[in-house]
Amino acid sequence: MLGRLIDTPFVLSVRPEELSRVEMLSELPPEALRDLATRAGRRQFRAGEVVFHEGDDGRSLFVVRRGTLKVVRPTHDDRLVLDRVEPGQAFGELAVLNSAPRLASVIAIEDCETIEIGKHDLEQIFDSHPLAARRMLGVLARSLTLSKEEVARQNSKLETAVRDRTAELRETQLEVVRRLSHAAESRDHVTGVHITRMSQLCSRLALAAGATPMEAELLLQAAPMHDVGKIAIPDRILRKPGKLDAEEWEIMKTHAAVGAELLAGSRSPVVQLGEVIALTHHERWDGNGYPRGLRREEIPFSARVTAVCDVFDALISDRPYKQAWTVDQALEEIQKDSGAHFEPRLVEAFTEVFPEMVAIVERVAEEHGAPPPKRGS
């Protein structure tokens, strides 16, 4: 008997109170509900069975009594479930009301039982009970408005979640970059003070030279990677307190290419810029730098900026082989190398914002509990 019931399209009677519990039918006049109940029938679908296909004519609407169904659009992506329809919910109403083809397919996820109301029967109810049509359309309009508001809220939440997650991933990425940069610099008697203030100096100089705030921010995050290749330089060379001999100097110069190789292949704009800076920040404006002997505008803007700030910060820092210079002495050295080591335009910009540069150095030193820079000539 059960098998015949499953295969039989319409079985058992439908009670008016079952229909009244469905949102789109809840405001129909009692007499319309009673009339509709006499015309409706029950349908059962096995798990995996298609109730109707996308593009089919809309001949019936359905109310779910038991089980769950899924809504999919096979012409777009049959793996994407657009919605799930559960007990008490209706589906197929729009195609019935406007005589349009089905916009999606509905498939039973598990064995289901539904109430089916035919298009012809619904039209007869509307003819016999004009108030029923107006009330049903009112419910649908209100439901549509609420659905649009809910979509807007969910979109806002999703945008916030994506924005927060993107920021979290970016901060994680930058933390890895900072740790890698610190690991390389710490082998060269250099502390985090140098990395922090050098990158901030780069950002400020870039702005003074006409970079956009976004470009300056990117440089702020990428500049700390400039000497990451030193992680591959032997300690006997990296920590040597005196001057390097010719062989040692050739080995030291390899850190530029090594650093670029370490950072190559990343999809991150920060790491990509870090690769460029690592490779080219020891090039000179006059073409006598390394590793490629680039000159003038052949050297990337980011590397030209980094070269100025890296040398300035190195000059005002203590090293095993020298004492820190004063900020004024370091500025004089930068100015002296204008047109040779450094791009003249950048030296002019650095000079113009020099008081701000000194303020950056002092602030970072205070934040790290380090000695302030030396003043005077």
Side-chain angles (χ1 to χ4, degrees), residues 206-220:
L207 286 173
T212 67
M214 184 176 296
E215 291 169 338
E217 172 67 18
L218 193 62
L219 183 54
L220 173 72

Side-chain angles (χ1 to χ4, degrees), residues 18 34 37 74 112 128 181 201 208 228-229 276 283 302 315 317 350 377:
E18 291 183 90
R34 288 194 295 271
C112 299
S128 304
S181 302
L201 292 173
V228 71
V276 170
E283 302 288 355
S302 57
L315 291 173
S317 302
F350 190 92
S377 300

Side-chain angles (χ1 to χ4, degrees), residues 114-131:
T114 68
I115 297 173
E116 182 176 9
I117 301 172
K119 174 180 174 61
H120 177 71
D121 293 320
L122 191 61
E123 289 175 345
Q124 287 191 332
I125 295 298
F126 291 159
D127 289 339
S128 304
H129 308 278
L131 183 60

Side-chain angles (χ1 to χ4, degrees), residues 173 180 225 228 257-279:
Q173 178 190 76
L180 180 62
M225 292 179 276
V228 71
V258 170
E261 185 177 350
L262 285 173
L263 301 173
S266 174
R267 291 181 295 177
S268 162
V270 173
V271 179
Q272 289 173 355
L273 184 59
E275 177 189 352
V276 170
I277 293 172
L279 181 64

Side-chain angles (χ1 to χ4, degrees), residues 344-358:
R345 180 176 68 97
L346 291 179
V347 174
E348 292 176 5
F350 190 92
T351 302
E352 290 176 2
V353 297
F354 181 65
E356 294 181 50
M357 297 303 206
V358 175

Side-chain angles (χ1 to χ4, degrees), residues 50-339:
V50 178
V51 179
F52 53 72
H53 293 274
E54 178 185 2
D56 287 352
D57 291 335
R59 298 177 180 176
S60 302
L61 69 85
F62 297 83
V63 175
V64 183
R65 294 190 73 254
R66 175 175 54 83
T68 305
L69 304 97
K70 63 180 179 180
V71 181
V72 297
R73 295 191 70 183
T75 58
H76 290 70
D77 184 353
D78 59 3
R79 296 168 298 178
L80 177 63
V81 177
L82 302 176
D83 197 8
R84 293 176 183 270
V85 192
E86 299 177 336
Q89 296 180 316
F91 62 91
E93 64 274 19
L94 292 181
V96 170
L97 292 173
N98 63 14
S99 301
R102 304 288 190 183
L103 297 177
S105 299
V106 176
I107 304 171
I109 297 176
E110 54 191 350
D111 289 350
C112 299
E113 182 178 338
T114 68
I115 297 173
E116 182 176 9
I117 301 172
K119 174 180 174 61
H120 177 71
D121 293 320
L122 191 61
E123 289 175 345
Q124 287 191 332
I125 295 298
F126 291 159
D127 289 339
S128 304
H129 308 278
L131 183 60
R134 291 198 298 272
R135 289 189 174 180
M136 181 181 288
L137 291 175
V139 171
L140 289 174
R142 184 171 66 249
S143 177
L144 179 59
T145 299
L146 294 176
S147 295
K148 289 171 64 177
E149 291 177 356
E150 180 61 23
V151 168
R153 282 193 294 271
Q154 292 300 325
N155 284 343
S156 178
K157 290 180 181 178
L158 181 60
E159 289 173 2
T160 300
V162 170
R163 186 165 55 250
D164 291 346
R165 182 57 177 157
T166 300
E168 180 183 344
L169 289 173
R170 180 174 180 273
E171 182 56 35
T172 300
Q173 178 190 76
L174 295 178
E175 177 65 17
V176 172
V177 166
R178 286 191 289 266
R179 289 179 180 273
L180 180 62
S181 302
H182 280 279
E185 296 285 4
S186 64
R187 298 184 61 244
D188 191 21
H189 298 284
V190 176
T191 67
V193 177
H194 168 66
I195 294 174
T196 301
R197 69 189 183 192
M198 192 278 290
S199 61
Q200 292 190 18
L201 292 173
C202 287
S203 178
R204 183 63 190 92
L205 179 56
L207 286 173
T212 67
M214 184 176 296
E215 291 169 338
E217 172 67 18
L218 193 62
L219 183 54
L220 173 72
Q221 305 298 346
M225 292 179 276
H226 68 293
D227 273 342
V228 71
K230 286 184 177 179
I231 204 164
I233 303 301
D235 282 348
R236 63 179 176 83
I237 296 176
L238 200 62
R239 296 177 176 270
K240 185 176 180 179
K243 185 178 180 179
L244 301 181
D245 61 31
E247 181 183 355
E248 292 169 337
W249 178 236
E250 289 302 315
I251 294 174
M252 175 63 83
K253 289 195 295 186
T254 64
H255 82 273
V258 170
E261 185 177 350
L262 285 173
L263 301 173
S266 174
R267 291 181 295 177
S268 162
V270 173
V271 179
Q272 289 173 355
L273 184 59
E275 177 189 352
V276 170
I277 293 172
L279 181 64
T280 58
H281 75 285
H282 282 297
E283 302 288 355
R284 291 171 53 102
W285 185 251
D286 60 10
N288 292 319
Y290 65 89
R292 296 180 175 179
L294 303 178
R295 64 191 304 270
R296 294 181 174 269
E297 282 79 9
E298 292 176 345
I299 308 168
F301 172 75
S302 57
R304 303 199 304 267
V305 170
T306 302
V308 175
C309 299
D310 187 34
V311 170
F312 176 79
D313 197 81
L315 291 173
I316 65 173
S317 302
D318 283 321
R319 293 289 190 269
Y321 50 86
K322 76 168 189 67
Q323 291 185 334
W325 292 22
T326 68
V327 292
D328 294 319
Q329 289 172 330
L331 175 61
E332 290 175 4
E333 184 69 15
I334 295 295
Q335 292 170 334
K336 186 176 69 175
D337 268 341
S338 177

